[in-house]
Amino acid sequence: MPPSDRSARTLPSRLGQRYAFVVVGVIFFCLLFSAGLRATPSVLLDPLQLAFGWSRSTISLAAAIGIFFYGMVGPFAAAAMDHFGLRRVLLTALAVMAASSAASAYMTQTWHLIALWGVFSGIGSGAVATVLGATIANRWFFKHRGLAMGILTASTATGNLIFLPLLAGLASSGDWTRAVWTVAIAMVAIVPLVWRLVPDSPASVGLLPYGSNPADPPAPPAPRTGLIAATFGALGRASRTRAFWFLFATFWVCGFTTNGLVGTHLIAMCGDHGIAAVQAAGLLALMGVFDLVGTTASGWLTDRYDPRKLLFVYYGLRGVSLMVLPYTDFSLYSLSIFAVFYGLDWIATVPPTLRLATDIFGDRDAPVVFGWIVAGHQIGAATAAWMGGFVREVSGSYLTAFVLSGATGIAAAVIALMIKRQRAGGMLAAA
């Protein structure tokens, strides 16, 4: 055993199953910093337009490509964590994100923007995303799995809370490269913690998942298959059920209504109403505060109530709030109400969606299948990121984009109730 692995066993042996919370803490910061990277394009829209004369639709296209790769990498990342080891995949992803962010300080052409903030940042952040949280929750927790997923999902909101106002201030300072250097440094800073404190699994440090009974034998490991076979094999099995397509559709809407539209375009929309970028970023940060509460509470609720009914409430409220926003007066009062209301619901959908995926597809397939469901989330987000910029350029307003997005939220609320959870042929399926 390498020396680093011997030293890493000391703390786990002292804490026992409680070491799961140490792992959650480190992964929380990884997801937090990754959220900062994913939020960066939203604060670079105006500075890059001023610095290079690039159109808003071109910059939105780069953001959309990044969101697309962010989602599509998820299922492959989940399979790679099984094949190569979670820690190795995570460290590689952090290095890619740090390098792409730092390199963007020297970009001069639109293809540089698309390659660095579209392709490479999307690939790197796709491995440090919701699917990573799902893998950690399923590997390290037997009890309180929903709560663990809620905490890890909330890290995205906290990332927005910490990074957006800071990055907006740096990007608006006259030197937008300060923002991208800050993101790169944050990625490098978390690497030592991952190396020392995040094992591949509880078994690799002689532990069982939190809440497991030591008298119960752990489930045997899944047969080792190739990375591509594991990724598409899980998709093939899942795609034969209606439940997968219902979950895929609702999560497509989740992405369409959150980081795709609001995360990418709210700052620019506020700018259309005379609100400075730093103040608008503060609204997203306020959403982050309340999403930290809402998503953690959603994880707690998911351990206790029917996740389908939770999704119905979340998507329904989100749809209504998006349709109402364009008709407000954009005063501090109305925007603050929206930020609080919408923030509580920002990504509260993740814990119940993961719970349904785990119940339906089982512990072995769930992380990869959930990765494919998250791909739907990011395809929806990429669609909204591009659509918002296109609608704004064509019509001069974001009104149509927000009303359409709200309507999809109502549709997702109905779809969530159509998911059935009885087991059939070894796998739960929607009837």
Side-chain angles (χ1 to χ4, degrees):
M1 182 183 296
S4 60
D5 286 349
R6 286 199 300 269
S7 63
R9 290 177 66 89
T10 304
L11 186 58
S13 64
R14 291 207 310 265
L15 295 179
Q17 291 185 6
R18 291 175 297 172
Y19 190 74
F21 293 99
V22 175
V23 176
V24 165
V26 177
I27 299 301
F28 182 96
F29 282 102
C30 291
L31 294 169
L32 182 148
F33 292 157
S34 179
L37 178 137
R38 287 263 44 95
T40 303
S42 67
V43 303
L44 294 180
L45 275 172
D46 289 336
L48 292 180
Q49 194 172 13
L50 290 173
F52 299 106
W54 299 337
S55 69
R56 185 171 296 191
S57 60
T58 298
I59 302 169
S60 296
L61 175 63
I65 292 172
I67 292 170
F68 174 79
F69 276 100
Y70 173 80
M72 293 306 297
V73 164
F76 296 94
M81 290 171 194
D82 281 331
H83 192 80
F84 300 110
L86 184 148
R87 182 168 62 174
R88 183 178 298 176
V89 171
L90 180 52
L91 289 171
T92 301
L94 290 170
V96 170
M97 287 190 287
S100 63
S101 182
S104 69
Y106 304 101
M107 62 186 179
T108 56
Q109 304 292 327
T110 54
W111 72 266
H112 296 163
L113 173 70
I114 291 172
L116 295 172
W117 282 105
V119 178
F120 289 108
S121 72
I123 290 173
S125 60
V128 189
T130 308
V131 69
L132 172 62
T135 301
I136 293 296
N138 282 352
R139 286 190 185 184
W140 284 88
F141 288 84
F142 179 76
K143 292 183 178 179
H144 306 307
R145 186 177 287 174
L147 178 61
M149 191 61 195
I151 293 171
L152 291 174
T153 304
S155 62
T156 301
T158 307
N160 288 334
L161 165 66
I162 293 174
F163 278 98
L164 266 176
L166 172 64
L167 294 176
L170 292 173
S172 303
S173 67
D175 183 3
W176 59 269
T177 64
R178 294 176 182 173
V180 299
W181 280 115
T182 299
V183 172
I185 291 169
M187 297 301 165
V188 173
I190 197 67
V191 167
L193 289 177
V194 173
W195 175 255
R196 294 299 301 272
L197 298 176
V198 180
D200 286 332
S201 68
S204 67
V205 287
L207 298 176
L208 292 173
Y210 181 81
S212 296
N213 185 348
D216 294 334
R224 178 63 63 89
T225 59
L227 175 62
I228 301 300
T231 305
F232 286 99
L235 175 62
R237 291 186 291 275
S239 63
R240 292 193 289 269
T241 70
R242 294 183 187 178
F244 172 79
W245 294 110
F246 288 154
L247 290 171
F248 188 93
T250 55
F251 235 40
W252 186 96
V253 171
C254 185
F256 193 87
T257 53
T258 54
N259 56 317
L261 184 65
V262 175
T264 304
H265 292 286
L266 181 64
I267 292 176
M269 183 182 184
C270 289
D272 290 345
H273 291 80
I275 300 170
V278 175
Q279 292 175 304
L283 288 173
L284 287 174
L286 182 61
M287 289 182 195
V289 173
F290 283 92
D291 184 63
L292 180 63
V293 176
T295 304
T296 303
S298 177
W300 183 86
L301 291 170
T302 299
D303 287 329
R304 291 161 175 79
Y305 299 102
D306 187 340
R308 299 169 299 174
K309 295 178 181 178
L310 294 177
L311 290 176
F312 173 79
V313 173
Y314 298 158
Y315 283 119
L317 293 176
R318 184 184 300 177
V320 170
S321 64
L322 287 172
M323 286 190 283
V324 168
L325 176 63
Y327 296 99
T328 64
D329 59 1
F330 280 80
S331 65
L332 177 62
Y333 178 74
S334 61
L335 287 174
S336 297
I337 292 176
F338 172 79
V340 172
F341 185 78
Y342 191 81
L344 289 169
D345 191 24
W346 176 263
I347 43 178
T349 55
V350 174
T353 301
L354 175 62
R355 170 66 182 274
L356 287 169
T358 302
D359 288 349
I360 292 167
F361 304 109
D363 286 346
R364 287 183 178 177
D365 275 356
V368 177
V369 173
F370 186 66
W372 284 111
I373 294 169
V374 172
H377 183 283
Q378 299 312 123
I379 292 171
T383 303
W386 172 83
M387 181 272 296
F390 177 79
V391 168
R392 169 62 177 78
E393 285 200 347
V394 170
S395 67
S397 168
Y398 282 107
L399 172 64
T400 301
F402 273 75
V403 171
L404 175 62
S405 183
T408 65
I410 301 299
V414 176
I415 294 172
L417 293 180
M418 297 169 64
I419 302 171
K420 296 186 184 297
R421 301 174 64 193
Q422 63 258 47
R423 187 171 295 274
M427 180 180 288
L428 291 175

